Amino acid sequence: MTSRDSQEQWITDPGGAGFAHTYLVDELLYDGRSPFQRIRVIRNRDFGRMLILDEAVQTTERDDFIYHELLCHVPLCTHLGPERVLIIGGGDGGLLREALRHPVAHATIVEIDRDVVDVTKRLIPSIPGAAFEDPRARLLIDDGIKFVHETKDRFDVALVDSTDPVGPAIGLFSSEFYGQMARVLGPGGVLAVQSGSPIYQQDLLSMVTRNMTPHFRWVRRYVGTVPTYPGVLWSFTVGSQARDPAAIDEADLTRRLASIPTQYYSPASHRFLFAFPPFPAAP
Ligand code: SAM
């Protein structure tokens, strides 16, 4: 935390090597260390309660819907009839909350750090809502890489809601992991991952595309604007076996979302999300 004057505390989330987003700490609600990372919850007058892991803002009360809707509804609507959902990471529960709005049979979430789940449920309850208590939800505290290698379960859609590729999250971006994912997803499967900033993490974005391509028939990138992720413009990558995520009919999406009102993602916007800016170098 840095101090601008003796009264104010500010917290800094570094983006690339030379810039950062900075937030006023109106209240420090939690500051603890789990076996995996430092966990903080602050209250900021513009973004409400914010979850910060190590230095990186993960989600906030004010803008969580943007990221979670994009990472959830694009792949779930790409699948022809998703019943079994797997989430890797995502311990704040926001993605689980969105997935359970679909008529799925069950959703399994594999989060490595129990403290992230407990702290978010206690201090930012609007993000998970009642998702962890839903009878269709199964929470496993485990390494997602190990789980995907070992599981005999099969899923229709998998969502990787990971921290940046450091520490236990590194393997979540590898070709081997995506290959294992393709195995547990089967012939109609859809996988979506957050793939970083297309501005200052182009290497990461290229790596995700490169590593996913051998395992999925279609691999498509899409973008959204997440105010609290450094640089704001954020990329997602979706791999699909049965149909092209970028070519889904608006009428089909409208039918699928008829009873799922959204605040950022919409059937009309779907196609435009895939109009990925041409500036990042191809894979
Ligand atoms: N939306 C966020 C972002 O992009 O900044 C990610 C949020 S979510 C809280 C990220 C979670 O991934 C963290 O809680 C972290 O503990 C978890 N995680 C990291 N590596 C993991 C692994 N190998 N298996 C399961 N969970 C993992």
Side-chain angles (χ1 to χ4, degrees):
M1 243 178 260
T2 55
S3 196
R4 298 241 169 131
D5 65 35
S6 57
Q7 305 301 317
E8 289 183 343
Q9 293 293 313
W10 292 74
I11 205 163
T12 294
D13 178 351
F19 83 102
H21 284 192
T22 303
Y23 302 91
L24 180 63
V25 181
D26 285 305
E27 196 180 349
L28 177 63
L29 295 154
Y30 182 85
D31 188 356
R33 200 166 275 284
S34 77
F36 299 98
Q37 52 215 338
R38 183 178 183 187
I39 302 175
R40 280 176 287 183
V41 176
I42 68 164
R43 186 175 55 76
N44 170 274
R45 61 193 63 180
D46 293 311
F47 289 101
R49 293 186 174 203
M50 307 176 62
L51 173 69
I52 300 155
L53 298 182
D54 292 329
E55 303 301 313
V57 173
Q58 303 292 307
T59 190
T60 82
E61 283 182 314
R62 189 59 55 81
D63 71 349
D64 98 276
F65 65 93
I66 301 177
Y67 173 86
H68 291 131
E69 287 185 8
L70 286 171
L71 187 51
C72 173
H73 300 309
V74 169
L76 265 90
C77 290
T78 295
H79 194 281
L80 294 166
E83 294 195 341
R84 305 161 298 178
V85 176
L86 173 64
I87 296 171
I88 303 294
D92 54 68
L95 198 56
L96 180 66
R97 179 199 74 214
E98 287 303 311
L100 290 171
R101 298 176 71 209
H102 288 256
V104 298
H106 59 80
T108 296
I109 174 165
V110 187
E111 161 63 57
I112 205 166
D113 191 342
R114 179 180 293 281
D115 290 359
V116 173
V117 178
D118 292 345
V119 168
T120 315
K121 276 175 74 173
R122 188 161 59 82
L123 293 173
I124 328 182
S126 66
I127 293 193
F132 288 110
E133 283 68 54
D134 190 304
R136 296 172 296 160
R138 173 172 66 143
L139 169 65
L140 302 176
I141 301 300
D142 202 354
D143 180 347
I145 301 164
K146 178 170 154 281
F147 174 84
V148 170
H149 270 75
E150 294 175 358
T151 187
K152 295 196 167 32
D153 294 344
R154 291 294 174 265
F155 297 93
D156 300 310
V157 176
L159 313 172
V160 182
D161 184 15
S162 65
T163 35
D164 284 340
V166 287
I170 290 176
L172 295 173
F173 296 84
S174 69
S175 175
E176 205 209 337
F177 177 70
Y178 296 146
Q180 290 293 331
M181 272 295 196
R183 180 184 63 79
V184 303
L185 287 168
V190 181
L191 167 67
V193 309
Q194 71 96 353
S195 42
S197 164
I199 306 282
Y200 59 89
Q201 291 179 313
Q202 286 187 12
D203 289 352
L204 172 63
L205 178 57
S206 297
M207 180 174 80
V208 169
T209 308
R210 217 175 33 246
N211 289 348
M212 215 187 266
T213 296
H215 308 292
F216 290 87
R217 181 160 175 213
W218 286 279
V219 173
R220 300 284 191 214
R221 298 161 162 184
Y222 59 103
V223 274
T225 50
V226 185
T228 48
Y229 288 175
V232 177
L233 188 66
W234 212 252
S235 82
F236 304 83
T237 303
V238 55
S240 171
Q241 309 291 32
R243 67 168 167 173
D244 182 354
I248 305 174
D249 221 41
E250 190 177 325
D252 183 354
L253 295 166
T254 302
R255 203 167 46 247
R256 293 284 291 274
L257 290 174
S259 59
I260 306 177
T262 50
Q263 298 179 77
Y264 186 90
Y265 173 74
S266 68
S269 70
H270 182 98
R271 197 171 279 264
F272 297 105
L273 299 173
F274 288 92
F276 199 94
F279 66 81

